[in-house]
Amino acid sequence: MKKKTSMLLIAAIAATVLFTQGETEARKAQIPPRPDGPVQNMDVPFPIGVFWIQRADEITDASMEDIKNMNVNFLVPHNGTNSFATHDRVMDFAEAHDLKVMMFDERFNYQFTNNSNPLSEEVLAAPQDIVNHYKGRPGLLGYNIIDEPTGYESIDNVAQVQELFRTYDPEHMTFVNLTGYWDNYNHTGYTKEISGDYARPDSLLGQTFRTQPDEKQITSIQIWLDFNQFKDDERLTMNIWDSSGKKKLIDSSTITAEAAKVFTTFNFDAKVKGNTDYYWEIVHEGGGDSSVGWIVRSKDGENWYPQGTGSVNGTPFNGDFFFFVNSSFYENYVSQWASKNPDMLSFDTYPFSINGGIEQHTYRTLEIVRRQALKHNLDLWSYMQSVGIDALREPDEGEMRYNLYTHLAYGVKGIIYFTYGTPPIPGFHDGLLNSNNEITDKYYYAQQNNADLLQLGETLTQLTSLAVYHTGSTIPEATNRLPAKSAVQPADNNEPYIISYFEHQNGDPYVMIVNRDYDNASEGTFTFKHKPKWIQEISKENGEAVDTDYVRNTGTLTLSFKEGEGILLKLPAGYNLD
């Protein structure tokens, strides 16, 4: 179960994280790739699932037909469906309605896989037992091992379970879903004992480190600190030097209390050489009580980072500070799981805050998971918010459309609605079904979005994301503004759009443009710099490439968008998207 905003749900999830910059070569070893694996063989235009359906004993042909009619093709049942008896009943109805089931067994709950202890004999024996029971069933889609695993040692355990399932059943997928990025609550947790030091004007905290072989620039360094220690007029500066001897200053970055978080990031534009040793140092610039801490580090004798060491006032200690160069706590968590070669990289992020607007880390999550999916050559799946939960508002029609198309613009190739039914848990309200299992308006919004998606899906699933840009008077945190020289330009750069570039597996270029305004429909004119011979739109009616009103002599195309809608465009082979 989920979610960050429901403490009753998260209480079941232990916060356990392990710092991994000093991981062993054995841990780095990747599982052999599966280029023709189960995800590629789903045989659906686009994977569309629902999470939390009715209880197994409440399911009827009519209730299953409602799910099917929403243009869904698989189920992630939960809601007490976690045993042979309950799954058998769900699968009976699913098979009768041509739906697949991502099964979950109670032997794989958090107490077994979500910690750093060796797996129990019960867990190690369960995959073969489960496979023997389900393997021949046509309703089986795959094995849902765990939702939001915590920590890197936990991820090693989950990967071990994944491989057991693959050994006994290579034809069906395994499924693991990661949490999104959160400042003050990460399912990436922490199990190591920690220590820390205070940054003061007379106490300089430093760390030597080595760049990656292909690293040419440092854009960020993230540390862990107690941000509550920051006073309004205090400032911390991080300097990057050529060495601990500090002969040449490479770059500096200063933060104030306003920018301080649990995992605080210093931003740089530092040119560096690959596989080269450098030194960062934190300087307290005065103000407040002249003390900010803890800055988290290892206990003495704990070697978190083999390529360097921490120091106070230039004197090394036998340990390391907590830090990530050009990365973050969360990205390392995602990368750690992606390196285990899962069948897809699945994640969740729920954007609709009760206070209005979009939760601030929605796009930071999207940027990171997209980057890691491309790096590890994985399909990207995501959950769609369709329920209200505590601090999250219930999405309306435009917001649900926006949620879908923003994720598609980042290369997502499979979705799951969270939730279909409304969990009987305080804080949850009005899913696609309400608490009385009655269809809500959001059911029909999702039904239409899914119908469109099934038409676009055959094309979308064959695209590789090349770039994602934003326009608008302001753009979301952690995203990239559309370059002035980019191949596609809106007539008004103050209008909020996402402009994404893709390449089809046959080499053809595609562009998706999304109206980032979920409250208002819009019409926008776009100039295609190289004036292609033609521009076609992938139809939401039949999936075909159809002609548009593109004006070739001016290179312009005018498009009309519903609230939050995206439009997928095909361009001639060889068109340059640079």
Side-chain angles (χ1 to χ4, degrees), residues 184-352:
N184 298 327
Y185 185 82
N186 268 292
H187 287 90
T188 47
Y190 210 80
T191 59
K192 286 289 189 183
E193 289 189 26
I194 62 173
S195 184
D197 287 296
Y198 288 86
R200 299 186 175 101
D202 60 352
S203 182
L204 308 180
L205 310 183
Q207 174 81 37
T208 53
F209 67 97
R210 184 170 300 162
T211 54
Q212 297 297 313
D214 58 349
E215 216 156 32
K216 297 180 180 178
Q217 184 181 29
I218 295 176
T219 59
S220 67
I221 296 179
Q222 186 178 76
I223 63 170
W224 182 1
L225 57 75
D226 181 357
F227 69 99
N228 292 307
Q229 295 279 329
F230 248 112
K231 303 299 186 294
D232 289 342
D233 58 345
E234 283 183 298
R235 294 154 58 90
L236 290 184
T237 294
M238 178 181 281
N239 297 313
I240 301 176
W241 297 89
D242 60 333
S243 69
S244 57
K246 301 195 292 189
K247 292 182 180 180
K248 181 180 179 181
L249 180 64
I250 307 299
D251 201 7
S252 295
S253 177
T254 299
I255 62 168
T256 60
E258 185 178 10
K261 305 180 187 302
V262 172
F263 306 119
T264 291
T265 299
F266 292 87
N267 296 307
F268 299 94
D269 184 15
K271 304 297 186 291
V272 294
K273 295 180 180 179
N275 203 31
T276 301
D277 291 335
Y278 291 90
Y279 172 72
W280 61 252
E281 188 174 69
I282 295 174
V283 180
H284 192 293
E285 302 283 4
D289 60 0
S290 293
S291 179
V292 172
W294 272 358
I295 311 294
V296 171
R297 68 171 175 90
S298 65
K299 293 275 190 179
D300 287 347
E302 288 277 345
N303 189 17
W304 283 353
Y305 188 79
Q307 291 79 34
T309 191
S311 64
V312 179
N313 283 333
T315 301
F317 58 81
N318 189 17
D320 301 286
F321 283 100
F322 176 99
F323 72 102
F324 289 107
V325 176
N326 289 343
S327 187
S328 66
F329 205 5
Y330 176 72
E331 185 152 8
N332 278 269
Y333 163 70
V334 176
S335 177
Q336 182 71 7
W337 174 242
S339 72
K340 304 301 183 182
N341 194 40
D343 283 314
M344 80 292 288
L345 182 59
S346 177
F347 70 100
D348 57 53
T349 180
Y350 302 103
F352 303 117

Side-chain angles (χ1 to χ4, degrees), residues 400-413:
M400 288 184 67
R401 191 183 297 116
Y402 162 94
N403 199 181
L404 173 63
Y405 283 101
T406 54
H407 282 62
L408 296 178
Y410 275 81
V412 163
K413 295 183 178 181

Side-chain angles (χ1 to χ4, degrees), residues 56 80-92 133-134:
T81 303
N82 57 13
S83 65
F84 287 167
T86 52
H87 268 292
D88 286 348
R89 179 172 170 81
V90 171
M91 283 194 186
D92 287 343
H133 186 85
Y134 291 110

